[in-house]
């Protein structure tokens, strides 16, 4: 049976790897990003600003039937709490938390009517730990995403729709590269604290997404899977 996945944040990093992994498994992939992009494995790209409510609604309309929703898009603003601007606060919360809620709220019930669906939310190790010193808002949004995941699991599970989260740790992405440009000393400190002794590649998160989106994961619901090399265990 051919299935369609809507994956947000596919222009780079983890989202790009997720799109590739799902497509390799025969899934039709619709990518969503604020940045226009193309690849050989994304069937269609919807360019949208997920910080806007109307844009989230447009994505749902343009996507049509969606069987698998992967909420991956996120933005990070690093700023001390005492100087964190409310405009940045609203934007981070809008993209990282409100957009997954809106997309899940609109697409989840349609999945339930068909009796099958998968929602996978990409959270963060910061949701477990509070994150780096200047990433409080990002980490709070990612913690909220775990709570939404559990609530969607309770509400949609009886109709055959599972909702799960993944909490990546240190991953080689452009977002991580930006952090280390500002704070070069952090990379060595973090690596030394990871039992596996290295950062993960985006593909190592993507394979977990593909599993959670499969029929084989039908009894996993409301879970948060840590992909962090043992950096934090909960």
């Amino acid at each position: 049976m051919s299935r369609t996945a809507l994956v947000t944040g596919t222009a780079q990093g983890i989202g790009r790897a997720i799109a590739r992994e799902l497509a390799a498994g025969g899934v039709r992939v619709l990518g969503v990003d604020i940045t226009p992009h193309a690849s050989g494995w994304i069937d269609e790209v919807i360019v949208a600003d997920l910080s806007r409510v109307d844009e989230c609604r447009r994505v749902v309309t343009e996507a049509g039937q969606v069987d698998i929703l992967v909420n991956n898009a996120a933005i990070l603003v690093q700023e001390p709490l005492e100087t964190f601007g409310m405009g940045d606060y609203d934007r981070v919360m809008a993209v990282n938390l409100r957009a997954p809620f809106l997309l899940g709220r609109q697409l989840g019930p349609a999945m339930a009517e068909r009796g099958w669906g998968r929602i996978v939310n990409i959270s963060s190790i910061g949701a477990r730990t509070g994150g780096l010193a200047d990433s409080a808002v990002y980490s709070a949004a990612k913690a909220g995403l775990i709570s939404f995941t559990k609530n969607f699991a309770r509400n949609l599970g009886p109709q055959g729709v599972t909702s799960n989260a993944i909490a990546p740790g240190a991953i080689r992405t452009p977002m991580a590269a930006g952090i280390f440009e500002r704070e070069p000393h952090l990379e060595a400190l973090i690596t030394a604290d990871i039992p596996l002794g290295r950062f993960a590649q985006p593909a190592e998160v993507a394979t977990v997404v593909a599993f959670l989106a499969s029929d084989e994961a039908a009894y996993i619901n409301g879970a948060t899977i840590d992909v962090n090399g043992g950096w934090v265990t909960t």
Side-chain angles (χ1 to χ4, degrees), residues 3 22 68 116 118 162 209-219:
R3 287 172 175 150
L22 291 174
I68 301 162
W116 193 96
R118 299 286 186 266
T162 66
V209 174
F211 172 66
L212 290 175
S214 70
D215 288 324
E216 286 73 19
Y219 203 65

Side-chain angles (χ1 to χ4, degrees), residues 158-206:
Q159 288 79 45
V161 179
T162 66
S163 176
N164 294 289
I166 297 172
I171 315 294
R172 290 286 179 197
T173 64
M175 183 182 287
I179 294 172
F180 301 136
E181 284 179 8
R182 292 184 292 270
E183 302 180 77
H185 66 285
L186 282 179
E187 184 169 3
L189 289 175
I190 291 171
T191 302
D193 206 30
I194 300 171
L196 292 185
R198 65 176 178 85
F199 280 41
Q201 295 299 322
E204 293 178 288
V205 178

Side-chain angles (χ1 to χ4, degrees), residues 145-164:
L145 194 53
I146 290 177
S147 184
F148 274 153
T149 298
K150 294 177 179 180
N151 189 273
F152 274 62
R154 287 187 175 276
N155 279 291
L156 300 175
Q159 288 79 45
V161 179
T162 66
S163 176
N164 294 289

Side-chain angles (χ1 to χ4, degrees), residues 16-188:
R16 182 178 173 87
I18 291 169
R20 184 171 190 170
E21 186 71 21
L22 291 174
V27 175
R28 176 174 174 261
V29 178
L30 305 177
V32 181
D33 206 287
I34 197 170
T35 303
H37 62 287
S39 74
W41 51 85
I42 297 178
D43 293 87
E44 180 184 346
V45 174
I46 302 173
V47 178
D49 180 357
L50 294 176
S51 71
R52 294 171 47 185
V53 173
D54 61 331
E55 289 280 88
C56 291
R57 291 172 177 159
R58 178 175 64 82
V59 167
V60 171
T61 299
E62 291 188 16
Q65 179 173 319
V66 171
D67 307 294
I68 301 162
L69 170 62
V70 184
N71 287 305
N72 165 75
I75 57 174
L76 170 66
V77 176
Q78 284 190 285
E79 187 72 27
L81 282 174
E82 59 270 22
T83 58
F84 204 99
M86 291 310 301
D88 284 336
Y89 179 94
D90 290 341
R91 191 162 59 94
V92 170
M93 284 294 181
V95 174
N96 296 10
L97 187 59
R98 187 177 68 192
F101 168 73
L102 291 174
L103 295 177
R105 183 178 69 174
Q106 294 179 82
L107 294 172
M111 296 178 190
E113 287 181 7
R114 295 190 297 273
W116 193 96
R118 299 286 186 266
I119 297 174
V120 183
N121 295 318
I122 306 302
S123 181
S124 168
I125 192 171
R128 305 290 207 187
T129 66
L132 300 174
D134 294 342
S135 64
V137 179
Y138 174 89
S139 299
K142 291 298 189 176
L145 194 53
I146 290 177
S147 184
F148 274 153
T149 298
K150 294 177 179 180
N151 189 273
F152 274 62
R154 287 187 175 276
N155 279 291
L156 300 175
Q159 288 79 45
V161 179
T162 66
S163 176
N164 294 289
I166 297 172
I171 315 294
R172 290 286 179 197
T173 64
M175 183 182 287
I179 294 172
F180 301 136
E181 284 179 8
R182 292 184 292 270
E183 302 180 77
H185 66 285
L186 282 179
E187 184 169 3

